[in-house]
Amino acid sequence: MSIDDKNYNLSVELDKIHLRNPTMLASGILGISQSIFERLYNENIGAVVTKSISVDPMKGYPNPTVIPLGCGSYLNAVGLSNPGLHAFSKELSQNKNIPIIISLVGSSEKEFSKMVKVFDSLNILGYEINLSCPHVSKMGMEVGDDPEAVSKIVSTVRMNTNKPISVKVGVGSVDVVELSRIAIDAGANMITAINTLRAMSIDVETMMPILSNRIGGLSGSAIKPIGIRCVYEISKKLQVPVIGCGGVSSWQDVIEYMIAGASAVQIGSVLGSRGPRIFNKITQDLKKYVEKKRVANISEIIGIAHRY
Amino acid sequence: MSIDDKNYNLSVELDKIHLRNPTMLASGILGISQSIFERLYNENIGAVVTKSISVDPMKGYPNPTVIPLGCGSYLNAVGLSNPGLHAFSKELSQNKNIPIIISLVGSSEKEFSKMVKVFDSLNILGYEINLSCPHVSKMGMEVGDDPEAVSKIVSTVRMNTNKPISVKVGVGSVDVVELSRIAIDAGANMITAINTLRAMSIDVETMMPILSNRIGGLSGSAIKPIGIRCVYEISKKLQVPVIGCGGVSSWQDVIEYMIAGASAVQIGSVLGSRGPRIFNKITQDLKKYVEKKRVANISEIIGIAHRY
Amino acid sequence: MPTDIDKRRIVQIEEIISETPTVKTLVFKDRLSYFAKPGQFLMIWIPRIEEIPMSVMINSKEGYAAVTIRKFGVGSTALFDRKKGDLIGLRGPYGNRFILRKKYRKILIIGGGTGLVPLLRLVSFASKVKVRSTIVIGAKTKAEVFFEKVTRNIIRGNNSSLLVCTDDGSYGIKGTTVTLMGKLVRDESFDCVYTCGPELMMKAVLDISNQNSIPVQASLERYMKCGIGICGSCCLDSSLVCQDGTVFDGRQLSKMLDFGFSYRDKDGQKIHYK
Amino acid sequence: MPTDIDKRRIVQIEEIISETPTVKTLVFKDRLSYFAKPGQFLMIWIPRIEEIPMSVMINSKEGYAAVTIRKFGVGSTALFDRKKGDLIGLRGPYGNRFILRKKYRKILIIGGGTGLVPLLRLVSFASKVKVRSTIVIGAKTKAEVFFEKVTRNIIRGNNSSLLVCTDDGSYGIKGTTVTLMGKLVRDESFDCVYTCGPELMMKAVLDISNQNSIPVQASLERYMKCGIGICGSCCLDSSLVCQDGTVFDGRQLSKMLDFGFSYRDKDGQKIHYK
Ligand SMILES: Cc1cc2nc3c(=O)[nH]c(=O)nc-3n(C[C@H](O)[C@H](O)[C@H](O)COP(=O)(O)OP(=O)(O)OC[C@H]3O[C@@H](n4cnc5c(N)ncnc54)[C@H](O)[C@@H]3O)c2cc1C
Ligand SMILES: Cc1cc2nc3c(=O)[nH]c(=O)nc-3n(C[C@H](O)[C@H](O)[C@H](O)COP(=O)(O)OP(=O)(O)OC[C@H]3O[C@@H](n4cnc5c(N)ncnc54)[C@H](O)[C@@H]3O)c2cc1C
Ligand SMILES: Cc1cc2nc3c(=O)[nH]c(=O)nc-3n(C[C@H](O)[C@H](O)[C@H](O)COP(=O)(O)O)c2cc1C
Ligand SMILES: Cc1cc2nc3c(=O)[nH]c(=O)nc-3n(C[C@H](O)[C@H](O)[C@H](O)COP(=O)(O)O)c2cc1C
Ligand code: FES
Ligand code: FES
């Protein structure tokens, strides 16, 4: 792809991972189809993170599962629906050059080791462990809120792979920096911050909760200032790459996350209004930015805000 | 005031407090002047909560302290600036009929008892204890994240007054329902939820954090779905009045909070775009709502969402 | 940025039309739906039960629209069972639309079941701009034929024709829409074929159109959660049916490996059409 | 909803005019500020140092505006020390404005120090609609007089007059703006008096206007954090200077107990003017 050469100055390094640019697909967004991953790659994305995969297929919650709230914010409780380990490893089996990170979710160490054993032979960059889904019991946040479980799960994944591991944290009842530290100590190579925040929306006319699960996760523009804060705090305290996530919808948002300390950013909700093209748009805009600012490589700006 | 009779069907009860309607001023918003409180009362407000007051005057952080983020959201780190116990008790000394709740902030039990001893002789409805300011060390959230400190402070205030006490909780590292339970067990009569969420904004052009304190609290529309969720969860578990707060800007938002379980709501950030008149506007709209829906008293809708 | 169409409206069902024992049309007032383009769909919220995608049915009253449901599983049955005066929620209309090129004079419409819904909006539009339509409505048997009267009303005075066929010959022409289409394109020339209905029917329509070099457009269905291009549940090859579709043209359809072959279930696993 | 004006713009200082040893005007390009109304102010961000309210100074270039700072404490000194090419942030313009009624033919302007900034925007506007202004600029001493030339340029050819006075008589007329105003209103008639400057001066201007039954408008200053009606730090009796003001008329001012009497400090405590 000639895109790569032209974007030389947008490349970033995440542990052992080299990305042609810092944009990534956030987990759970369009994340179950190899054909879609290929399309996103043609839209110049840096890497894709898959939907969080569990050992067994999960149907998730009934609809409504996704609610647009206006102003670029969304509420969702899809309930981690996913095709499961086997169907998904088949889905990715033909992957050659798409930079894919598999997101994993589960409730026991055994489940995680089972998945990594299967996925590790695929052509993938690494893993993201989802410890922060705010609306599924016994998975996600309930694990993330239990420091001991986090440590055990991360160590288990570490023991079963040499590929880089990111742990995805959220705003739960363990401090985000503390949780990140536990994950890193247990063998994670980097941190993704943040997942959605536990939230709810009730219809005033019918007086009923809208999501079938009642409570879900808030994403999009609303959470950007919280994501920026988390990335800033984590990157200030820990010497590992941080992947920023939450409310990115433009090149300015990417830069804001990077200045705050992110080495790359994940993009999700904005696809609801801008479609997959947004990746190409943002990448082109970033290119203009580094050229205008005469930045030799975009990674130079990572964490600059810590100086002030 | 003839307003009272006309709005008979909007009245709500919060423990021993009777309010002519469920709208309240959120703490920290226009909250230091008796003249302003009188103006708000003429705008048909249900009650005012003052700026959080500490024993000694506090200058707060240098500007910038308040940032409009667009879409009805704001970031602030005023640093609990306030005129202190003595100047403020003088400010309120002439109060007769304005329904005022004093918000208290401090770092030790002694400070709280000192304040309550002075304020208790004023014409006020009760107290709100701020345990959730996310950007001032040793006060607010750092206290709220320490269950033992919460318990001690609330008991101390309880011992020094017979007036109703609300404890204001936020999204910190103790679960909001757990924290509320601790506060109630220690003698609080009700809960205010939620305060702002720890957040940050960095200017892309200068690459510098905008707030002088770097980190502040997110308020306004962005946090409404989180506030609704907290009110829903607290009111589901605890049998005490809950005061909803966060992102209210219209009568629909008031109703949504009440359906979720709030007995009253506090309104803050929206004053930045709508001014004090918003209270009269919302109250009139609520009146139309109860008339249209033929609700005898608005309190009938409190917590209706729990049925579904 | 999410726009007006994303805002949930709560509407009252003002009229219910029973089309067949298992198909009903629910009429409601909603400006955005009234202005929906042919091929667009709504996400219909049945409070505390489901939210399902439904094409926007036309209604003769200004400012009104409708949905036509076939009773099927949990969600569609709950919607089917709504009474006059009940409340449902809507967001949308979402998706792209059938395109009627300026140069088209005569078009062929092949509809099966509720697939007629988006097609009738198209026929109505074509009628207004004086494009002649030949509409083929197919059903298994007489009892399952519906929309015949509505269609006649729409095309009245426009030199268009309506052909009804049933698999068992109990009403109209005996045979499937596909066999009928084969005959029609041999005898007459059409500028474009538009279709919506069971996927295997649409696949056959695509094949015949390709063989006869007639442009074709089809409105597809896939399992949808968000309806707006976020969740990925509606993916079909590299397309998102909710955002890139629901309407695809012959060129796009011919390249798709999944079209007429497989779809994804609620958990995202691929299932093959039998 | 917060609108465009709330959006922080980062602008470059393109020109610096030294008005006196302690007063400078910084010129920048910003469309919203260019269109500011007389009396409106900006919140000026000096990155990592302060954010302070500043009236919007006019600039002759299309699309440009300026601020005129008196070096004072931390924030104003930092702004004063900015160099050409430095970046500052802006939000606003905020607040209401001076009102120039259609029927006014002749107005009196009383300005002290940087209080002239909003007044010059008013004079410029008055000039355009052919209203005659008598402008009184006051300063302690000759070295502190500024804006004389700018003002002359604005009123050129408009039959308006500019009077400069100094307390020590080192330049222009000897005396304060207030004594001069006393004389002016005795000799001539004005449709309205507009003032901005030290509060005690404005208080005296209010009193004289009331005694002579002349309408008066004053642009006030209070400590401001948010500039948009949220924090309450700018409260003056039951008004918010940032949202209800900065401009108040004689009727409002006469009812205020705090005007000319007390203001609130950074912690909200009331301080009395000495
Ligand atoms: C764009 C579009 C327009 C449609 N228009 C109409 C219409 O006008 N009239 C009509 O009767 N039907 C229409 N459908 C189909 C309709 O959405 C499904 O039949 C309906 O959702 C079934 O829901 P259920 O709860 O009854 O089924 P379930 O019992 O939940 O599932 C049965 C099957 O129904 C389908 N289905 C269920 N939920 C969905 C969903 N959220 N999205 C897509 N398919 C689903 C799946 O194939 C599923 O296997 C349309 C579908 C799409 C995608
Ligand atoms: C609407 C308005 C318009 C103004 N226009 C101008 C102008 O055009 N030119 C000019 O030189 N000055 C103007 N000022 C005054 C200017 O804002 C203050 O002089 C400046 O903020 C001083 O800041 P500092 O950091 O230097 O002072 P500090 O050392 O922080 O404080 C000294 C004193 O300055 C004042 N001050 C400080 N910060 C603020 C603040 N945020 N808001 C209001 N007053 C403050 C207070 O009286 C304070 O006691 C205006 C003020 C207001 C409210
Ligand atoms: C519909 C939807 C589904 C999601 N599913 C997952 C998931 O499976 N695993 C996960 O780690 N995060 C999931 N997320 C969270 C996103 O990856 C991301 O952290 C969050 O949406 C914030 O980013 P955004 O504001 O760009 O959307 C999901 C978000 C949405 C909106
Ligand atoms: C400028 C500002 C100052 C605030 N100061 C306080 C405070 O002193 N004490 C407190 O408990 N909450 C304070 N808050 C939080 C509000 O009371 C409220 O919880 C929060 O703003 C959410 O409500 P809103 O979205 O309606 O603004 C402050 C909020 C703002 C915006
Ligand atoms: S339905 Fe969610 S992407 Fe299409
Ligand atoms: S400056 Fe905040 S209310 Fe006026």
Side-chain angles (χ1 to χ4, degrees), chain A residues 11-88:
Chain A
S11 66
V12 293
E13 313 293 324
L14 297 171
D15 191 67
K16 285 183 291 183
I17 299 172
H18 170 89
L19 299 184
R20 59 181 175 177
N21 72 58
T23 66
M24 299 168 72
L25 181 71
S27 177
I29 313 294
L30 309 183
I32 51 163
S33 150
Q34 176 74 15
S35 311
I36 296 277
F37 297 160
E38 281 164 15
R39 173 175 172 186
L40 291 166
Y41 193 65
N42 290 332
E43 292 288 357
N44 217 355
I45 203 168
V48 301
V49 181
T50 70
K51 175 83 200 159
S52 294
I53 304 296
S54 52
V55 171
D56 295 318
M58 286 173 73
K59 285 219 185 311
Y61 301 126
N63 285 340
T65 46
V66 181
I67 310 175
L69 298 173
C71 270
S73 299
Y74 296 83
L75 186 63
N76 91 83
V78 294
L80 293 172
S81 70
N82 78 85
L85 169 60
H86 293 292
F88 198 66

Side-chain angles (χ1 to χ4, degrees), chain C:
Chain C
M1 288 288 124
T3 48
D4 265 342
I5 56 166
D6 276 335
K7 215 185 143 164
R8 189 174 308 270
R9 288 92 65 193
I10 304 294
V11 299
Q12 210 164 33
I13 298 167
E14 298 194 18
E15 192 191 344
I16 297 181
I17 305 158
S18 211
E19 310 285 1
T20 79
T22 55
V23 178
K24 274 184 191 168
T25 297
L26 313 182
V27 183
F28 50 83
K29 192 172 174 175
D30 180 57
R31 240 187 138 59
L32 288 169
S33 307
Y34 174 71
F35 285 115
K37 307 288 184 300
Q40 288 194 307
F41 65 95
L42 295 167
M43 292 301 290
I44 303 282
W45 182 42
I46 311 119
R48 294 317 302 152
I49 299 178
E50 253 290 358
E51 185 181 48
I52 54 180
M54 287 276 144
S55 297
V56 198
M57 178 61 189
I58 47 167
N59 185 271
S60 47
K61 271 175 285 181
E62 151 115 39
Y64 280 75
V67 288
T68 299
I69 321 114
R70 177 183 301 280
K71 189 179 153 87
F72 192 76
V74 186
S76 56
T77 303
L79 192 55
F80 185 88
D81 292 342
R82 292 289 106 161
K83 303 276 169 285
K84 206 173 139 171
D86 282 356
L87 300 178
I88 55 173
L90 327 167
R91 56 188 179 93
Y94 293 123
N96 68 357
R97 56 167 118 175
F98 286 118
I99 289 176
L100 190 70
R101 296 199 189 284
K102 276 244 168 68
K103 59 177 182 191
Y104 291 174
R105 291 286 152 260
K106 204 174 146 201
I107 59 176
L108 178 59
I109 309 278
I110 311 284
T114 57
L116 271 164
V117 171
L119 295 170
L120 288 187
R121 204 166 261 274
L122 173 68
V123 170
S124 161
F125 181 67
S127 256
K128 277 181 202 137
V129 296
K130 307 273 180 262
V131 173
R132 285 168 55 196
S133 312
T134 298
I135 303 135
V136 178
I137 296 185
K140 286 216 182 69
T141 182
K142 185 178 177 180
E144 290 182 14
V145 175
F146 61 97
F147 281 166
E148 194 182 346
K149 216 177 116 193
V150 180
T151 314
R152 290 210 192 282
N153 283 338
I154 294 172
I155 59 175
R156 177 166 303 149
N158 186 44
N159 212 1
S160 292
S161 54
L162 169 62
L163 304 170
V164 180
C165 57
T166 50
D167 293 4
D168 63 3
S170 54
Y171 188 74
I173 302 158
K174 184 178 163 127
T176 66
T177 50
V178 176
T179 46
L180 190 52
M181 174 190 175
K183 278 184 213 136
L184 286 166
V185 299
R186 233 174 292 131
D187 300 349
E188 296 176 55
S189 76
F190 296 96
D191 295 313
C192 190
V193 180
Y194 298 87
T195 184
C196 183
E199 188 147 317
L200 295 179
M201 176 195 94
M202 292 192 281
K203 175 77 169 111
V205 170
L206 169 69
D207 291 344
I208 299 174
S209 304
N210 283 347
Q211 283 151 24
N212 293 271
S213 305
I214 315 173
V216 57
Q217 295 174 32
S219 167
L220 310 193
E221 291 187 4
R222 279 298 180 272
Y223 187 71
M224 289 185 181
K225 286 180 185 170
C226 70
I228 50 176
I230 287 183
C231 72
S233 62
C234 68
C235 63
L236 171 65
D237 288 81
S238 67
S239 293
L240 299 169
V241 174
C242 69
Q243 205 177 50
D244 305 315
T246 61
V247 178
F248 297 92
D249 65 23
R251 211 179 38 88
Q252 295 172 305
L253 294 167
S254 304
K255 276 190 283 185
M256 289 177 177
L257 302 174
D258 290 339
F259 175 60
F261 181 71
S262 65
Y263 60 96
R264 286 181 194 262
D265 211 345
K266 294 186 184 183
D267 54 21
Q269 289 188 78
K270 273 196 190 181
I271 315 281
H272 298 298
Y273 284 105
K274 72 259 115 182

Side-chain angles (χ1 to χ4, degrees), chain D residues 102-159:
Chain D
K102 277 242 169 69
K103 60 177 183 194
Y104 292 173
R105 291 285 153 259
K106 202 175 148 200
I107 59 177
L108 178 59
I109 309 276
I110 312 283
T114 57
L116 271 165
V117 170
L119 294 170
L120 288 187
R121 205 165 261 273
L122 174 69
V123 170
S124 161
F125 182 66
S127 256
K128 277 182 201 135
V129 296
K130 306 273 180 266
V131 173
R132 285 169 53 196
S133 313
T134 299
I135 303 135
V136 178
I137 297 184
K140 285 214 183 72
T141 182
K142 185 176 176 183
E144 290 182 13
V145 175
F146 61 97
F147 280 166
E148 196 183 345
K149 214 175 119 195
V150 179
T151 313
R152 291 210 192 281
N153 282 339
I154 295 171
I155 59 174
R156 177 165 303 148
N158 187 44
N159 210 1

